[in-house]
Amino acid sequence: MPKLKSVYICSECGYESAKWCGKCPGCGEWNSMNEEIKETVKIAPAAARNTTVFSSPQLIREIDADDEKRCSTGSKELDRVLGGGLVKGSVVLLGGDPGIGKSTILMQVCSHLSDEGKNVLYVSGEESKRQIKLRSSRLGVNGENIYLYTQTDCQTICEIIKEQMPEMVVIDSIQTISIAELNSSPGSVTQVRESTNMLMRTAKTTEIPIIIVGHVNKDGAIAGPKVLEHIVDTVLYFEGDKQMTYRILRAVKNRYGSTNEIGVLEMCDKGLFDVENPSLMLLSGRPKNVSGTCVACAMEGSRPILAEVQGLVCSGGYGNSRRMSTGFDYNRMSLLLAVLEKRAGYSFSNSDAYINVVGGLRLDEPAVDLAVAMSLVSSLKDFPIDEQTIAFGELGLAGEIRSVSHCDLRISEAQRLGFKRCIVPYYSLKHINKSNYPDIEIIGVKNVREAVLALSR
Ligand code: TYD
Ligand code: MG
């Protein structure tokens, strides 16, 4: 290992200093000195040129694709979000609120790999070995090949990885890992960034996949510098209401797959389980014959997901009406209320309005607009929408319903779950082959008024 030395470098002009100073002596900028690591051992340029780092240019078709190098994590949902499994030598950052289940899912992944006879290394800087052991026995992990290691020194961890050569490494969490040579405390921007860099280099040279747990700060972003997300190959977020049992796994960045896919899991008393049929789960326990609920269909990656949107409109206080939305964009909701008021003549100005997407899911797709608008109108006018009807479509500012993508997938999902009627944008009808859906009535609507008419039938 080369010896490490920490230096302070000005982010504006690159001035280097051994000590921190408030004002850069080079360019005079205030508060621009950042601590960085400097490796003191330099490779001679001639030797460097011989290494593979400076390999000659190669034709892209002559390079092996390494698809077969993916390994399954044991959870279909996690595999889907990763783009088909864990890639060798990749570094995955898993972020999420405390207590959401990050350590749980990773222990389950370790358990799966261990059952396949692969050695895994679980490095924890947060919990004691006993705590982890307790969790693993609760999860029913037999742990034949799982090595636990409580260590916070990054260099030691990297050396152990190179020595043991496990098939996968888990680091729980990056905020507790530090490099002794740096003066800043664990969890600080410099420590987190440099530790990740060091782990990244280890992963690339040994071809071992490393999963790093990252804490999130109050805004929900991964604590530490934004560069952390630039360094790693894949960034996953684990979301969900802690009170609810559902958890959503979302890829924010993925160098080996699409970022549109989500994974749905459920937290049970024996750990996290895949939810293979999220629509069924989200729609269970729906109230019957009640106004203010409408079923929407949103595409999450390549998967259509049906979810119930609930709207509640009631008379508000004097002059200051409340609006609140859970699982749907607040500003988008205000916009829909404005469109309904101006283009369809429904007045919400003296009423409070609330929107809730049941199940803790967040729906950000424009195709959900129609269901949100309809649940609000249904609550305002107090007419129930038929429970076997779904609606999707984007609402324009002129009150028109605009066409959306993947209509076929959405309708087949509705048919599969036994829905009888589908309210779709009129201009999408030409892309739909009605004969494919014998059990479902498809109604095209051009604007909000038509949609309300179709739904209140
Ligand atoms: P954990 O994985 O420790 O969260 P994180 O590492 O993201 O902080 O999960 C802890 C929560 O999960 C805790 O509130 C208890 C709950 N849990 C279950 O409901 N069932 C289980 O089998 C396990 C292990 C945890
Ligand atoms: Mg944890």
Side-chain angles (χ1 to χ4, degrees), residues 340 343-344 346 370 374 383 391 395 399-401 421 423-427 429 443-457:
L340 287 173
R343 305 291 176 192
Y346 297 107
L370 186 57
M374 289 306 108
F383 70 86
L395 217 64
E400 82 279 17
I401 313 282
R421 257 191 335 152
I423 311 291
V424 305
Y426 180 80
Y427 296 103
L429 281 179
I443 303 166
V445 290
K446 284 187 186 149
N447 52 43
V448 190
R449 283 167 185 276
E450 284 184 22
V452 176
L453 273 180
L455 283 169
S456 52
R457 265 208 282 155

PDB file of all heavy atoms in Angstrom, residues 340 343-344 346 370 374 383 391 395 399-401 421 423-427 429 443-457:
ATOM      1  N   LEU A 340     -59.533  22.290 -13.476  1.00  0.00           N
ATOM      2  CA  LEU A 340     -60.918  21.860 -13.229  1.00  0.00           C
ATOM      3  C   LEU A 340     -61.829  23.063 -13.010  1.00  0.00           C
ATOM      4  O   LEU A 340     -62.967  23.095 -13.447  1.00  0.00           O
ATOM      5  CB  LEU A 340     -60.976  20.945 -11.998  1.00  0.00           C
ATOM      6  CG  LEU A 340     -60.428  19.535 -12.187  1.00  0.00           C
ATOM      7  CD1 LEU A 340     -60.387  18.803 -10.863  1.00  0.00           C
ATOM      8  CD2 LEU A 340     -61.257  18.763 -13.192  1.00  0.00           C
ATOM      9  N   ARG A 343     -61.765  25.219 -16.642  1.00  0.00           N
ATOM     10  CA  ARG A 343     -62.217  24.556 -17.866  1.00  0.00           C
ATOM     11  C   ARG A 343     -63.468  23.710 -17.691  1.00  0.00           C
ATOM     12  O   ARG A 343     -64.104  23.352 -18.658  1.00  0.00           O
ATOM     13  CB  ARG A 343     -61.107  23.656 -18.426  1.00  0.00           C
ATOM     14  CG  ARG A 343     -59.809  24.365 -18.666  1.00  0.00           C
ATOM     15  CD  ARG A 343     -59.926  25.337 -19.801  1.00  0.00           C
ATOM     16  NE  ARG A 343     -58.680  26.080 -19.970  1.00  0.00           N
ATOM     17  CZ  ARG A 343     -58.577  27.145 -20.727  1.00  0.00           C
ATOM     18  NH1 ARG A 343     -59.626  27.598 -21.410  1.00  0.00           N
ATOM     19  NH2 ARG A 343     -57.432  27.781 -20.826  1.00  0.00           N
ATOM     20  N   ALA A 344     -63.763  23.319 -16.457  1.00  0.00           N
ATOM     21  CA  ALA A 344     -64.931  22.461 -16.297  1.00  0.00           C
ATOM     22  C   ALA A 344     -65.935  23.047 -15.316  1.00  0.00           C
ATOM     23  O   ALA A 344     -66.989  22.469 -15.074  1.00  0.00           O
ATOM     24  CB  ALA A 344     -64.499  21.071 -15.844  1.00  0.00           C
ATOM     25  N   TYR A 346     -65.808  23.532 -12.021  1.00  0.00           N
ATOM     26  CA  TYR A 346     -65.926  23.051 -10.643  1.00  0.00           C
ATOM     27  C   TYR A 346     -65.177  23.999  -9.736  1.00  0.00           C
ATOM     28  O   TYR A 346     -63.985  24.226  -9.935  1.00  0.00           O
ATOM     29  CB  TYR A 346     -65.346  21.642 -10.500  1.00  0.00           C
ATOM     30  CG  TYR A 346     -66.091  20.625 -11.324  1.00  0.00           C
ATOM     31  CD1 TYR A 346     -65.524  20.090 -12.471  1.00  0.00           C
ATOM     32  CD2 TYR A 346     -67.373  20.232 -10.951  1.00  0.00           C
ATOM     33  CE1 TYR A 346     -66.221  19.182 -13.241  1.00  0.00           C
ATOM     34  CE2 TYR A 346     -68.073  19.319 -11.718  1.00  0.00           C
ATOM     35  CZ  TYR A 346     -67.494  18.799 -12.861  1.00  0.00           C
ATOM     36  OH  TYR A 346     -68.181  17.908 -13.610  1.00  0.00           O
ATOM     37  N   LEU A 370     -55.469  12.245 -14.811  1.00  0.00           N
ATOM     38  CA  LEU A 370     -56.908  12.057 -14.984  1.00  0.00           C
ATOM     39  C   LEU A 370     -57.520  11.435 -13.729  1.00  0.00           C
ATOM     40  O   LEU A 370     -58.571  11.888 -13.253  1.00  0.00           O
ATOM     41  CB  LEU A 370     -57.177  11.183 -16.219  1.00  0.00           C
ATOM     42  CG  LEU A 370     -58.643  11.034 -16.600  1.00  0.00           C
ATOM     43  CD1 LEU A 370     -59.307  12.370 -16.834  1.00  0.00           C
ATOM     44  CD2 LEU A 370     -58.800  10.158 -17.840  1.00  0.00           C
ATOM     45  N   MET A 374     -60.262  13.195 -11.420  1.00  0.00           N
ATOM     46  CA  MET A 374     -61.566  12.564 -11.275  1.00  0.00           C
ATOM     47  C   MET A 374     -61.902  12.258  -9.821  1.00  0.00           C
ATOM     48  O   MET A 374     -63.040  12.359  -9.394  1.00  0.00           O
ATOM     49  CB  MET A 374     -61.629  11.272 -12.107  1.00  0.00           C
ATOM     50  CG  MET A 374     -61.677  11.522 -13.597  1.00  0.00           C
ATOM     51  SD  MET A 374     -63.004  12.646 -14.075  1.00  0.00           S
ATOM     52  CE  MET A 374     -62.098  14.111 -14.509  1.00  0.00           C
ATOM     53  N   PHE A 383     -70.238  11.852  -5.975  1.00  0.00           N
ATOM     54  CA  PHE A 383     -70.745  10.677  -6.699  1.00  0.00           C
ATOM     55  C   PHE A 383     -69.648   9.625  -6.726  1.00  0.00           C
ATOM     56  O   PHE A 383     -68.482   9.945  -6.946  1.00  0.00           O
ATOM     57  CB  PHE A 383     -71.204  11.048  -8.127  1.00  0.00           C
ATOM     58  CG  PHE A 383     -70.084  11.410  -9.056  1.00  0.00           C
ATOM     59  CD1 PHE A 383     -69.399  10.421  -9.771  1.00  0.00           C
ATOM     60  CD2 PHE A 383     -69.698  12.731  -9.251  1.00  0.00           C
ATOM     61  CE1 PHE A 383     -68.372  10.758 -10.622  1.00  0.00           C
ATOM     62  CE2 PHE A 383     -68.670  13.066 -10.094  1.00  0.00           C
ATOM     63  CZ  PHE A 383     -67.990  12.086 -10.789  1.00  0.00           C
ATOM     64  N   ALA A 391     -58.855   4.912 -14.879  1.00  0.00           N
ATOM     65  CA  ALA A 391     -58.741   6.055 -15.774  1.00  0.00           C
ATOM     66  C   ALA A 391     -57.284   6.462 -15.867  1.00  0.00           C
ATOM     67  O   ALA A 391     -56.571   6.465 -14.864  1.00  0.00           O
ATOM     68  CB  ALA A 391     -59.568   7.216 -15.230  1.00  0.00           C
ATOM     69  N   LEU A 395     -53.567  15.597 -18.354  1.00  0.00           N
ATOM     70  CA  LEU A 395     -54.478  16.729 -18.462  1.00  0.00           C
ATOM     71  C   LEU A 395     -53.712  17.955 -18.933  1.00  0.00           C
ATOM     72  O   LEU A 395     -52.702  18.324 -18.346  1.00  0.00           O
ATOM     73  CB  LEU A 395     -55.068  16.992 -17.070  1.00  0.00           C
ATOM     74  CG  LEU A 395     -56.519  17.408 -17.025  1.00  0.00           C
ATOM     75  CD1 LEU A 395     -57.388  16.291 -17.537  1.00  0.00           C
ATOM     76  CD2 LEU A 395     -56.910  17.747 -15.596  1.00  0.00           C
ATOM     77  N   GLY A 399     -57.758  21.889 -20.519  1.00  0.00           N
ATOM     78  CA  GLY A 399     -58.764  20.941 -20.083  1.00  0.00           C
ATOM     79  C   GLY A 399     -58.853  19.723 -20.977  1.00  0.00           C
ATOM     80  O   GLY A 399     -59.723  18.875 -20.807  1.00  0.00           O
ATOM     81  N   GLU A 400     -57.933  19.629 -21.943  1.00  0.00           N
ATOM     82  CA  GLU A 400     -57.979  18.478 -22.847  1.00  0.00           C
ATOM     83  C   GLU A 400     -57.251  17.284 -22.236  1.00  0.00           C
ATOM     84  O   GLU A 400     -56.360  17.458 -21.419  1.00  0.00           O
ATOM     85  CB  GLU A 400     -57.370  18.849 -24.208  1.00  0.00           C
ATOM     86  CG  GLU A 400     -55.845  18.808 -24.306  1.00  0.00           C
ATOM     87  CD  GLU A 400     -55.134  20.038 -23.747  1.00  0.00           C
ATOM     88  OE1 GLU A 400     -55.755  20.796 -22.986  1.00  0.00           O
ATOM     89  OE2 GLU A 400     -53.935  20.227 -24.074  1.00  0.00           O
ATOM     90  N   ILE A 401     -57.668  16.089 -22.639  1.00  0.00           N
ATOM     91  CA  ILE A 401     -56.981  14.885 -22.164  1.00  0.00           C
ATOM     92  C   ILE A 401     -56.019  14.462 -23.259  1.00  0.00           C
ATOM     93  O   ILE A 401     -56.429  14.160 -24.376  1.00  0.00           O
ATOM     94  CB  ILE A 401     -57.973  13.733 -21.903  1.00  0.00           C
ATOM     95  CG1 ILE A 401     -59.167  14.206 -21.096  1.00  0.00           C
ATOM     96  CG2 ILE A 401     -57.274  12.555 -21.237  1.00  0.00           C
ATOM     97  CD1 ILE A 401     -58.940  14.375 -19.644  1.00  0.00           C
ATOM     98  N   ARG A 421     -63.962  -1.475 -17.072  1.00  0.00           N
ATOM     99  CA  ARG A 421     -64.006  -0.272 -17.900  1.00  0.00           C
ATOM    100  C   ARG A 421     -62.717   0.509 -17.814  1.00  0.00           C
ATOM    101  O   ARG A 421     -62.108   0.596 -16.746  1.00  0.00           O
ATOM    102  CB  ARG A 421     -65.165   0.620 -17.450  1.00  0.00           C
ATOM    103  CG  ARG A 421     -66.320   0.485 -18.412  1.00  0.00           C
ATOM    104  CD  ARG A 421     -67.410   1.467 -18.254  1.00  0.00           C
ATOM    105  NE  ARG A 421     -67.582   2.070 -16.966  1.00  0.00           N
ATOM    106  CZ  ARG A 421     -68.093   3.283 -16.815  1.00  0.00           C
ATOM    107  NH1 ARG A 421     -68.433   3.994 -17.860  1.00  0.00           N
ATOM    108  NH2 ARG A 421     -68.269   3.778 -15.627  1.00  0.00           N
ATOM    109  N   ILE A 423     -61.109   4.279 -18.912  1.00  0.00           N
ATOM    110  CA  ILE A 423     -61.272   5.607 -19.506  1.00  0.00           C
ATOM    111  C   ILE A 423     -59.895   6.021 -20.003  1.00  0.00           C
ATOM    112  O   ILE A 423     -58.958   6.147 -19.203  1.00  0.00           O
ATOM    113  CB  ILE A 423     -61.781   6.630 -18.466  1.00  0.00           C
ATOM    114  CG1 ILE A 423     -62.978   6.079 -17.697  1.00  0.00           C
ATOM    115  CG2 ILE A 423     -62.093   7.963 -19.121  1.00  0.00           C
ATOM    116  CD1 ILE A 423     -64.225   5.925 -18.475  1.00  0.00           C
ATOM    117  N   VAL A 424     -59.756   6.208 -21.311  1.00  0.00           N
ATOM    118  CA  VAL A 424     -58.439   6.506 -21.884  1.00  0.00           C
ATOM    119  C   VAL A 424     -58.528   7.781 -22.729  1.00  0.00           C
ATOM    120  O   VAL A 424     -59.620   8.202 -23.090  1.00  0.00           O
ATOM    121  CB  VAL A 424     -57.938   5.330 -22.768  1.00  0.00           C
ATOM    122  CG1 VAL A 424     -57.934   4.038 -22.000  1.00  0.00           C
ATOM    123  CG2 VAL A 424     -58.775   5.183 -24.021  1.00  0.00           C
ATOM    124  N   PRO A 425     -57.415   8.398 -23.027  1.00  0.00           N
ATOM    125  CA  PRO A 425     -57.451   9.569 -23.899  1.00  0.00           C
ATOM    126  C   PRO A 425     -57.993   9.186 -25.282  1.00  0.00           C
ATOM    127  O   PRO A 425     -57.637   8.139 -25.815  1.00  0.00           O
ATOM    128  CB  PRO A 425     -55.979   9.987 -23.996  1.00  0.00           C
ATOM    129  CG  PRO A 425     -55.310   9.357 -22.834  1.00  0.00           C
ATOM    130  CD  PRO A 425     -56.045   8.111 -22.547  1.00  0.00           C
ATOM    131  N   TYR A 426     -58.826  10.043 -25.855  1.00  0.00           N
ATOM    132  CA  TYR A 426     -59.446   9.751 -27.147  1.00  0.00           C
ATOM    133  C   TYR A 426     -58.383   9.505 -28.221  1.00  0.00           C
ATOM    134  O   TYR A 426     -58.491   8.614 -29.045  1.00  0.00           O
ATOM    135  CB  TYR A 426     -60.347  10.927 -27.537  1.00  0.00           C
ATOM    136  CG  TYR A 426     -61.032  10.739 -28.861  1.00  0.00           C
ATOM    137  CD1 TYR A 426     -62.168   9.939 -28.962  1.00  0.00           C
ATOM    138  CD2 TYR A 426     -60.546  11.357 -30.016  1.00  0.00           C
ATOM    139  CE1 TYR A 426     -62.793   9.748 -30.171  1.00  0.00           C
ATOM    140  CE2 TYR A 426     -61.168  11.165 -31.230  1.00  0.00           C
ATOM    141  CZ  TYR A 426     -62.288  10.366 -31.304  1.00  0.00           C
ATOM    142  OH  TYR A 426     -62.898  10.171 -32.499  1.00  0.00           O
ATOM    143  N   TYR A 427     -57.329  10.306 -28.172  1.00  0.00           N
ATOM    144  CA  TYR A 427     -56.320  10.214 -29.221  1.00  0.00           C
ATOM    145  C   TYR A 427     -55.410   8.991 -29.070  1.00  0.00           C
ATOM    146  O   TYR A 427     -54.572   8.731 -29.909  1.00  0.00           O
ATOM    147  CB  TYR A 427     -55.505  11.510 -29.293  1.00  0.00           C
ATOM    148  CG  TYR A 427     -56.392  12.658 -29.684  1.00  0.00           C
ATOM    149  CD1 TYR A 427     -56.839  13.571 -28.741  1.00  0.00           C
ATOM    150  CD2 TYR A 427     -56.854  12.782 -30.996  1.00  0.00           C
ATOM    151  CE1 TYR A 427     -57.699  14.595 -29.083  1.00  0.00           C
ATOM    152  CE2 TYR A 427     -57.721  13.795 -31.350  1.00  0.00           C
ATOM    153  CZ  TYR A 427     -58.147  14.705 -30.390  1.00  0.00           C
ATOM    154  OH  TYR A 427     -59.010  15.691 -30.739  1.00  0.00           O
ATOM    155  N   LEU A 429     -56.869   6.053 -28.686  1.00  0.00           N
ATOM    156  CA  LEU A 429     -57.689   4.923 -29.145  1.00  0.00           C
ATOM    157  C   LEU A 429     -57.137   4.271 -30.406  1.00  0.00           C
ATOM    158  O   LEU A 429     -57.216   3.064 -30.571  1.00  0.00           O
ATOM    159  CB  LEU A 429     -59.127   5.394 -29.413  1.00  0.00           C
ATOM    160  CG  LEU A 429     -60.035   5.558 -28.193  1.00  0.00           C
ATOM    161  CD1 LEU A 429     -61.402   6.050 -28.633  1.00  0.00           C
ATOM    162  CD2 LEU A 429     -60.163   4.246 -27.438  1.00  0.00           C
ATOM    163  N   ILE A 443     -63.248   3.407 -23.248  1.00  0.00           N
ATOM    164  CA  ILE A 443     -63.933   4.649 -23.602  1.00  0.00           C
ATOM    165  C   ILE A 443     -62.893   5.751 -23.790  1.00  0.00           C
ATOM    166  O   ILE A 443     -62.087   6.018 -22.890  1.00  0.00           O
ATOM    167  CB  ILE A 443     -64.916   5.056 -22.483  1.00  0.00           C
ATOM    168  CG1 ILE A 443     -65.909   3.920 -22.244  1.00  0.00           C
ATOM    169  CG2 ILE A 443     -65.639   6.348 -22.837  1.00  0.00           C
ATOM    170  CD1 ILE A 443     -66.702   4.058 -20.976  1.00  0.00           C
ATOM    171  N   GLY A 444     -62.920   6.382 -24.956  1.00  0.00           N
ATOM    172  CA  GLY A 444     -61.982   7.473 -25.207  1.00  0.00           C
ATOM    173  C   GLY A 444     -62.634   8.806 -24.854  1.00  0.00           C
ATOM    174  O   GLY A 444     -63.790   9.037 -25.182  1.00  0.00           O
ATOM    175  N   VAL A 445     -61.914   9.667 -24.151  1.00  0.00           N
ATOM    176  CA  VAL A 445     -62.473  10.976 -23.796  1.00  0.00           C
ATOM    177  C   VAL A 445     -61.538  12.080 -24.281  1.00  0.00           C
ATOM    178  O   VAL A 445     -60.316  11.908 -24.295  1.00  0.00           O
ATOM    179  CB  VAL A 445     -62.716  11.110 -22.272  1.00  0.00           C
ATOM    180  CG1 VAL A 445     -63.856  10.230 -21.825  1.00  0.00           C
ATOM    181  CG2 VAL A 445     -61.459  10.783 -21.478  1.00  0.00           C
ATOM    182  N   LYS A 446     -62.160  13.213 -24.683  1.00  0.00           N
ATOM    183  CA  LYS A 446     -61.344  14.291 -25.240  1.00  0.00           C
ATOM    184  C   LYS A 446     -61.006  15.351 -24.200  1.00  0.00           C
ATOM    185  O   LYS A 446     -59.996  16.023 -24.298  1.00  0.00           O
ATOM    186  CB  LYS A 446     -62.099  14.960 -26.380  1.00  0.00           C
ATOM    187  CG  LYS A 446     -62.102  14.135 -27.647  1.00  0.00           C
ATOM    188  CD  LYS A 446     -62.721  14.920 -28.773  1.00  0.00           C
ATOM    189  CE  LYS A 446     -62.862  14.059 -29.993  1.00  0.00           C
ATOM    190  NZ  LYS A 446     -64.014  14.415 -30.816  1.00  0.00           N
ATOM    191  N   ASN A 447     -61.917  15.568 -23.243  1.00  0.00           N
ATOM    192  CA  ASN A 447     -61.647  16.594 -22.246  1.00  0.00           C
ATOM    193  C   ASN A 447     -62.240  16.222 -20.893  1.00  0.00           C
ATOM    194  O   ASN A 447     -62.869  15.172 -20.754  1.00  0.00           O
ATOM    195  CB  ASN A 447     -62.181  17.948 -22.726  1.00  0.00           C
ATOM    196  CG  ASN A 447     -63.635  17.829 -23.137  1.00  0.00           C
ATOM    197  OD1 ASN A 447     -64.421  17.188 -22.438  1.00  0.00           O
ATOM    198  ND2 ASN A 447     -63.991  18.401 -24.267  1.00  0.00           N
ATOM    199  N   VAL A 448     -62.034  17.091 -19.920  1.00  0.00           N
ATOM    200  CA  VAL A 448     -62.441  16.783 -18.551  1.00  0.00           C
ATOM    201  C   VAL A 448     -63.939  16.522 -18.453  1.00  0.00           C
ATOM    202  O   VAL A 448     -64.381  15.589 -17.777  1.00  0.00           O
ATOM    203  CB  VAL A 448     -62.082  17.958 -17.614  1.00  0.00           C
ATOM    204  CG1 VAL A 448     -62.270  17.558 -16.183  1.00  0.00           C
ATOM    205  CG2 VAL A 448     -60.672  18.392 -17.821  1.00  0.00           C
ATOM    206  N   ARG A 449     -64.726  17.361 -19.147  1.00  0.00           N
ATOM    207  CA  ARG A 449     -66.182  17.197 -19.059  1.00  0.00           C
ATOM    208  C   ARG A 449     -66.609  15.812 -19.512  1.00  0.00           C
ATOM    209  O   ARG A 449     -67.422  15.144 -18.874  1.00  0.00           O
ATOM    210  CB  ARG A 449     -66.880  18.245 -19.919  1.00  0.00           C
ATOM    211  CG  ARG A 449     -66.908  19.609 -19.284  1.00  0.00           C
ATOM    212  CD  ARG A 449     -67.317  20.638 -20.340  1.00  0.00           C
ATOM    213  NE  ARG A 449     -67.232  21.971 -19.796  1.00  0.00           N
ATOM    214  CZ  ARG A 449     -68.202  22.529 -19.077  1.00  0.00           C
ATOM    215  NH1 ARG A 449     -69.298  21.863 -18.812  1.00  0.00           N
ATOM    216  NH2 ARG A 449     -68.046  23.746 -18.616  1.00  0.00           N
ATOM    217  N   GLU A 450     -66.034  15.385 -20.658  1.00  0.00           N
ATOM    218  CA  GLU A 450     -66.389  14.056 -21.172  1.00  0.00           C
ATOM    219  C   GLU A 450     -65.993  12.969 -20.183  1.00  0.00           C
ATOM    220  O   GLU A 450     -66.705  11.988 -19.992  1.00  0.00           O
ATOM    221  CB  GLU A 450     -65.691  13.798 -22.513  1.00  0.00           C
ATOM    222  CG  GLU A 450     -66.333  14.520 -23.663  1.00  0.00           C
ATOM    223  CD  GLU A 450     -65.682  14.164 -25.000  1.00  0.00           C
ATOM    224  OE1 GLU A 450     -65.056  13.096 -25.085  1.00  0.00           O
ATOM    225  OE2 GLU A 450     -65.809  14.965 -25.933  1.00  0.00           O
ATOM    226  N   ALA A 451     -64.833  13.168 -19.546  1.00  0.00           N
ATOM    227  CA  ALA A 451     -64.366  12.169 -18.581  1.00  0.00           C
ATOM    228  C   ALA A 451     -65.331  12.070 -17.410  1.00  0.00           C
ATOM    229  O   ALA A 451     -65.680  10.971 -16.968  1.00  0.00           O
ATOM    230  CB  ALA A 451     -62.971  12.534 -18.097  1.00  0.00           C
ATOM    231  N   VAL A 452     -65.789  13.226 -16.926  1.00  0.00           N
ATOM    232  CA  VAL A 452     -66.721  13.209 -15.794  1.00  0.00           C
ATOM    233  C   VAL A 452     -68.017  12.517 -16.206  1.00  0.00           C
ATOM    234  O   VAL A 452     -68.563  11.679 -15.468  1.00  0.00           O
ATOM    235  CB  VAL A 452     -67.003  14.638 -15.294  1.00  0.00           C
ATOM    236  CG1 VAL A 452     -68.039  14.617 -14.189  1.00  0.00           C
ATOM    237  CG2 VAL A 452     -65.719  15.282 -14.792  1.00  0.00           C
ATOM    238  N   LEU A 453     -68.496  12.816 -17.425  1.00  0.00           N
ATOM    239  CA  LEU A 453     -69.725  12.181 -17.922  1.00  0.00           C
ATOM    240  C   LEU A 453     -69.557  10.657 -17.986  1.00  0.00           C
ATOM    241  O   LEU A 453     -70.432   9.907 -17.562  1.00  0.00           O
ATOM    242  CB  LEU A 453     -70.063  12.708 -19.319  1.00  0.00           C
ATOM    243  CG  LEU A 453     -70.896  13.985 -19.357  1.00  0.00           C
ATOM    244  CD1 LEU A 453     -71.156  14.395 -20.794  1.00  0.00           C
ATOM    245  CD2 LEU A 453     -72.220  13.763 -18.621  1.00  0.00           C
ATOM    246  N   ALA A 454     -68.416  10.242 -18.524  1.00  0.00           N
ATOM    247  CA  ALA A 454     -68.187   8.805 -18.681  1.00  0.00           C
ATOM    248  C   ALA A 454     -68.112   8.110 -17.328  1.00  0.00           C
ATOM    249  O   ALA A 454     -68.540   6.967 -17.181  1.00  0.00           O
ATOM    250  CB  ALA A 454     -66.887   8.579 -19.453  1.00  0.00           C
ATOM    251  N   LEU A 455     -67.579   8.815 -16.341  1.00  0.00           N
ATOM    252  CA  LEU A 455     -67.387   8.182 -15.036  1.00  0.00           C
ATOM    253  C   LEU A 455     -68.631   8.200 -14.169  1.00  0.00           C
ATOM    254  O   LEU A 455     -68.792   7.374 -13.279  1.00  0.00           O
ATOM    255  CB  LEU A 455     -66.242   8.866 -14.279  1.00  0.00           C
ATOM    256  CG  LEU A 455     -64.854   8.469 -14.759  1.00  0.00           C
ATOM    257  CD1 LEU A 455     -63.811   9.367 -14.158  1.00  0.00           C
ATOM    258  CD2 LEU A 455     -64.557   7.029 -14.358  1.00  0.00           C
ATOM    259  N   SER A 456     -69.511   9.182 -14.403  1.00  0.00           N
ATOM    260  CA  SER A 456     -70.674   9.269 -13.526  1.00  0.00           C
ATOM    261  C   SER A 456     -71.849   8.492 -14.096  1.00  0.00           C
ATOM    262  O   SER A 456     -72.948   8.575 -13.580  1.00  0.00           O
ATOM    263  CB  SER A 456     -71.045  10.734 -13.281  1.00  0.00           C
ATOM    264  OG  SER A 456     -71.158  11.403 -14.513  1.00  0.00           O
ATOM    265  N   ARG A 457     -71.595   7.772 -15.180  1.00  0.00           N
ATOM    266  CA  ARG A 457     -72.674   6.961 -15.759  1.00  0.00           C
ATOM    267  C   ARG A 457     -73.161   5.906 -14.788  1.00  0.00           C
ATOM    268  O   ARG A 457     -72.327   5.266 -14.127  1.00  0.00           O
ATOM    269  CB  ARG A 457     -72.145   6.268 -17.012  1.00  0.00           C
ATOM    270  CG  ARG A 457     -72.447   7.029 -18.263  1.00  0.00           C
ATOM    271  CD  ARG A 457     -72.547   6.110 -19.448  1.00  0.00           C
ATOM    272  NE  ARG A 457     -71.217   5.727 -19.907  1.00  0.00           N
ATOM    273  CZ  ARG A 457     -71.003   4.595 -20.567  1.00  0.00           C
ATOM    274  NH1 ARG A 457     -71.988   3.729 -20.768  1.00  0.00           N
ATOM    275  NH2 ARG A 457     -69.802   4.291 -21.013  1.00  0.00           N
TER     276      ARG A 457
END
